[in-house]
Amino acid sequence: MVPLTWYLVLAAALFAIGMFGVLARKNAVAVLMGVELMLNAVNINLLAFWRYTALGELVGHAFAVFVITVAAAEAAVGVALFIAVYRQRDTVNVEELDAMKG
Amino acid sequence: MTFPTLNFPVIAPQIVLVAAALIILLADLMVANKRILGWISLIAVIGALAAVFVCRSDSAAFPLALGGPSGPGTMALADGLGLFASAAVLIAAGLAILLAIERVGDFSRFEKPGSEKKQARSGDHPIAEAPGPQVTDRAGAYYALLLLATAGMTAMATASDLMTIFIALEIFSLALYILVGFNRRDLRSGEAALKYFLLGAFASGFFLYGIALIYAATGTTSLEAILHNIQPMSISLPFRPLLPVGMGLLLVGFGFKLALVPFHMWTPDAYQGAPTPVTAFMSVATKAAAFAALIRVLAAVASYDRPWLLALAALAVLTMTLGNLAALRQTSLKRMLAYSSIAHAGYLLIGLAAGNQLGVEGALYYLLAYTFMNLGAFAVLLAVQRRDENDVTGDRILGLAGRQPLLAALMAVLMFSLAGIPPLAGFFGKLYVFSGAVEAGLAWLAIVGVLNSALGAYYYLRVTILMFMAEPAESDQEISSGKVETLQPGWAVMTTVVLAVLGTIVLGLWQWPWTQTIAQAVSTLALR
């Protein structure tokens, strides 16, 4: 059987890649993709921990399903916001959105 | 297979709120007068508040047993803390709805792109001058989203499982992202929503990763079971070292939601760009819900251990100081209050950093006081805000006392309370959290807090001076000749301001019923 550490390293790497995407990309859509990667990294963690340590309950599974649902809702709201902003400003580049300062 | 048993009284407020939100969405399609929708939502909030008071029972819980009766599986808990924070959230929601009833059209109406062309053409035909279907009014969506956000916040305040906390957090966050971007005519509203959304979603990632690690370390997500499992000599936990890492990540997630420095970058933009009633609501209700959840999580996962309390103290110092320093140099009053609400999150955090009975009691009292005074201050900003604008600069209140003495006097009371001048509620809130810190041996933290209050008093009192001693930006002649619109605040906005001021004064002068309720709420927590 694959040891648990492998899953944890995979999840941590995925989380770090997602975080890099959020911090380094300028396009809001790419930032959202980074966030989705972070959430999926958590799903891997939850399922791996459930498989290797669980005390007989399905908490990890149930939680992962909730996370997927929340991620879908978040993507729907996020993309709708991007479209609304794009119609006003013709850009969703986070560096060009600087109407407020201070 | 056993079905989960539901204890309906515990989730009664959420049932009322969500049902009302759905009814409003349906009714929005049928009624032309959108003000009715506002009244329906106000009744729903009052109904939920009644449910909070009537249905309180300490043992009540609704177990959603996952995998069998062995698990503790309590998802929500209607204890004193949860009900107190729910009541604060519902008061904020009720005032925010009352605040918006007359002014919701300012930011909820917008013309669809391309409708200008049609209007220009219809100019040839005088018959077609009636407002066409191009102008949409989304007031119904505003009230429905506000109620859904309120449902999420009350759920977070009563949640007793990391899973419920996360889902409740997402429910209200998603509703707030949309509400912040509600003003389609103002560029800054959409920008604020975009920034709030990206950073909020980023924070959710940290929050979740923290929960996953805590789940790994303790084998459960129920706060009660976590508290039980991490006791020494309990069951064996091979991943125990992951617990502090998980708690740290969870704290980062909470930091984003509570706008603590250094996780506050979204706050000034989101608060300034959002429609003013939304700012008023989110600046107070989010804090009430998230602080209640943080108090619970700290009790279960961190057991109020010394290192965590010092981390909270460091966050509190950073939050107060940076919030106040940034607020000093703002020209927009809305942005100034945004930074000042960051500073207030710092004062609130002092109570938690103290980690004792007095500190947490003080934080809860402060939370209720802050709900009234901050919401009231934003309500006054809405009263002087022009219909076509989404921001309030300092010259809108220049010489306000000459034109609207009552409004100016009420604003002065709110500013004195925010600055912490006795005998108003803001003073006692600060007094309680600071004395909690002193009792816990963190006298230096209390001193930093007092110094910061002095810093805050400067810009709050400056607002008062601008209102009472400065000359108005427009001369009387311009006003009488109608060049400048003299805006009279509507009765609904005035009622909100009066209620908020009354709350501030009553909380300060007549304390024992509130302090007694708070003491009861805190006594069930595992504090040192």
Side-chain angles (χ1 to χ4, degrees):
Chain A
M1 201 157 98
V2 184
L4 175 62
T5 357
W6 291 27
Y7 288 104
L8 300 192
V9 170
L10 171 68
L14 208 55
F15 191 82
I17 293 171
M19 206 162 93
F20 175 78
V22 172
L23 297 174
R25 301 306 295 264
K26 303 295 169 223
N27 190 313
V29 180
V31 174
L32 181 62
M33 286 160 74
V35 169
E36 298 290 320
L37 269 187
M38 290 167 69
L39 296 184
N40 281 321
V42 174
N43 279 341
I44 294 177
N45 256 347
L46 284 170
L47 290 179
F49 285 134
W50 167 77
R51 180 71 183 78
Y52 284 82
T53 67
L55 310 170
E57 293 178 23
L58 284 170
V59 175
H61 265 161
F63 210 147
V65 172
F66 278 125
V67 173
I68 292 169
T69 317
V70 164
E74 221 166 48
V77 170
V79 172
L81 280 178
F82 297 164
I83 291 174
V85 170
Y86 189 82
R87 279 191 182 149
Q88 289 176 333
R89 311 275 284 259
D90 277 336
T91 178
V92 285
N93 185 325
V94 286
E95 287 204 327
E96 289 170 36
L97 298 173
D98 53 0
M100 288 173 286
K101 280 211 176 110
Chain B
M1 165 150 187
T2 51
F3 280 98
T5 48
L6 293 177
N7 194 341
F8 282 107
V10 179
I11 49 168
Q14 286 86 337
I15 293 174
V16 172
L17 291 168
V18 173
L22 297 179
I23 289 169
I24 285 169
L25 280 180
L26 278 180
D28 189 26
L29 302 172
M30 289 178 266
V31 296
N33 184 1
K34 304 294 182 195
R35 195 168 284 196
I36 295 168
L37 302 175
W39 290 116
I40 296 176
S41 49
L42 197 57
I43 291 167
V45 168
I46 292 169
L49 200 56
V52 163
F53 282 113
V54 172
C55 304
R56 76 161 299 174
S57 59
D58 282 356
S59 58
F62 96 97
L64 183 76
L66 293 163
S70 62
T74 307
M75 289 283 163
L77 199 64
D79 60 354
L81 171 65
L83 293 176
F84 182 82
S86 298
V89 168
L90 288 167
I91 289 170
L95 291 177
I97 289 168
L98 191 60
L99 188 60
I101 269 182
E102 280 182 321
R103 301 288 293 267
V104 69
D106 298 0
F107 57 89
S108 71
R109 277 166 212 248
F110 81 111
E111 289 175 13
K112 282 197 177 146
S115 62
E116 287 159 30
K117 218 184 293 171
K118 277 180 203 155
Q119 275 175 351
R121 243 188 293 133
S122 66
D124 306 334
H125 311 284
I127 310 156
E129 260 182 22
Q134 292 93 348
V135 180
T136 48
D137 188 345
R138 297 168 303 147
Y142 170 79
Y143 292 123
L145 283 169
L146 198 79
L147 289 182
L148 289 175
T150 313
M153 287 167 182
T154 50
M156 188 170 183
T158 50
S160 66
D161 188 298
L162 291 173
M163 205 186 294
T164 349
I165 291 181
F166 171 71
I167 293 165
L169 176 88
E170 285 299 320
I171 289 173
F172 82 70
S173 296
L174 286 172
L176 285 181
Y177 298 147
I178 306 172
L179 284 175
V180 168
F182 220 76
N183 192 342
R184 293 283 287 271
R185 287 178 304 191
D186 187 7
L187 287 182
R188 289 179 296 187
S189 184
E191 180 184 326
L194 193 96
K195 286 177 178 168
Y196 184 31
F197 168 75
L198 289 178
L199 284 168
F202 187 49
S204 301
F206 283 100
F207 201 86
L208 263 183
Y209 207 86
I211 291 176
L213 293 184
I214 292 172
Y215 171 57
T218 61
T220 176
T221 53
S222 161
L223 292 179
E224 214 179 317
I226 289 172
L227 189 60
H228 174 259
N229 286 2
I230 59 172
Q231 301 300 326
M233 309 303 288
S234 185
I235 54 172
S236 78
L237 298 167
F239 297 102
R240 179 72 192 256
L242 288 176
L243 191 64
V245 185
M247 184 61 214
L249 287 169
L250 204 56
L251 203 56
V252 172
F254 270 114
F256 270 105
K257 290 295 164 191
L258 289 168
L260 305 178
V261 176
F263 315 110
H264 69 291
M265 302 81 75
W266 58 273
T267 317
D269 287 354
Y271 285 12
Q272 191 186 9
T276 311
V278 176
T279 316
F281 174 65
M282 70 189 274
S283 67
V284 295
T286 315
K287 287 200 172 66
F291 261 107
L294 182 59
I295 289 172
R296 264 185 227 287
V297 169
L298 280 173
V301 184
S303 332
Y304 284 96
D305 281 339
R306 193 80 186 167
W308 289 114
L309 297 185
L310 287 178
L312 288 181
L315 276 177
V317 169
L318 277 176
T319 307
M320 286 184 297
T321 315
L322 267 83
N324 276 326
L325 285 178
L328 281 178
R329 52 183 182 84
Q330 297 305 323
T331 49
S332 156
L333 288 178
K334 217 168 154 186
R335 206 172 172 84
M336 185 203 89
L337 279 182
Y339 275 112
S340 102
S341 70
I342 295 178
H344 281 282
Y347 300 133
L348 279 161
L349 206 56
I350 290 182
L352 298 201
N356 50 15
Q357 197 87 11
L358 187 58
V360 176
E361 277 177 33
L364 286 182
Y365 178 86
Y366 201 123
L367 212 47
L368 194 57
Y370 171 78
T371 302
F372 282 113
M373 58 197 187
N374 212 47
L375 208 142
F378 276 114
V380 173
L381 290 198
L382 184 68
V384 297
Q385 180 186 318
R386 292 187 181 165
R387 284 195 181 272
D388 53 344
E389 286 181 344
N390 193 23
D391 200 355
V392 182
T393 48
D395 51 353
R396 284 282 172 283
I397 57 156
L398 286 180
L400 188 70
R403 281 171 291 155
Q404 292 165 11
L406 176 64
L407 190 66
L410 292 173
M411 181 64 160
V413 173
L414 292 166
M415 286 294 130
F416 287 151
S417 182
L418 282 167
I421 291 170
L424 299 162
F427 166 74
F428 288 104
K430 284 200 177 95
L431 182 69
Y432 291 148
V433 291
F434 293 164
S435 39
V438 171
E439 199 186 87
L442 295 167
W444 59 274
L445 188 58
I447 292 170
V448 175
V450 171
L451 290 177
N452 263 293
S453 304
L455 207 57
Y458 171 74
Y459 57 82
Y460 292 128
L461 295 185
R462 193 179 58 186
V463 170
T464 319
I465 289 171
L466 285 179
M467 285 191 304
F468 283 90
M469 314 216 168
E471 289 295 312
E474 308 94 8
S475 67
D476 290 342
Q477 206 180 4
E478 273 180 314
I479 294 171
S480 56
S481 65
K483 265 183 198 163
V484 183
E485 178 197 10
T486 48
L487 189 68
Q488 288 298 322
W491 60 268
V493 178
M494 274 317 268
T495 314
T496 318
V497 178
V498 169
L499 285 176
V501 171
L502 275 181
T504 315
I505 295 173
V506 167
L507 267 180
L509 295 181
W510 187 50
Q511 294 200 348
W512 68 264
W514 323 111
T515 43
Q516 201 186 22
T517 317
I518 293 166
Q520 256 174 1
V522 173
S523 63
T524 57
L525 295 167
L527 293 169
R528 282 186 298 134

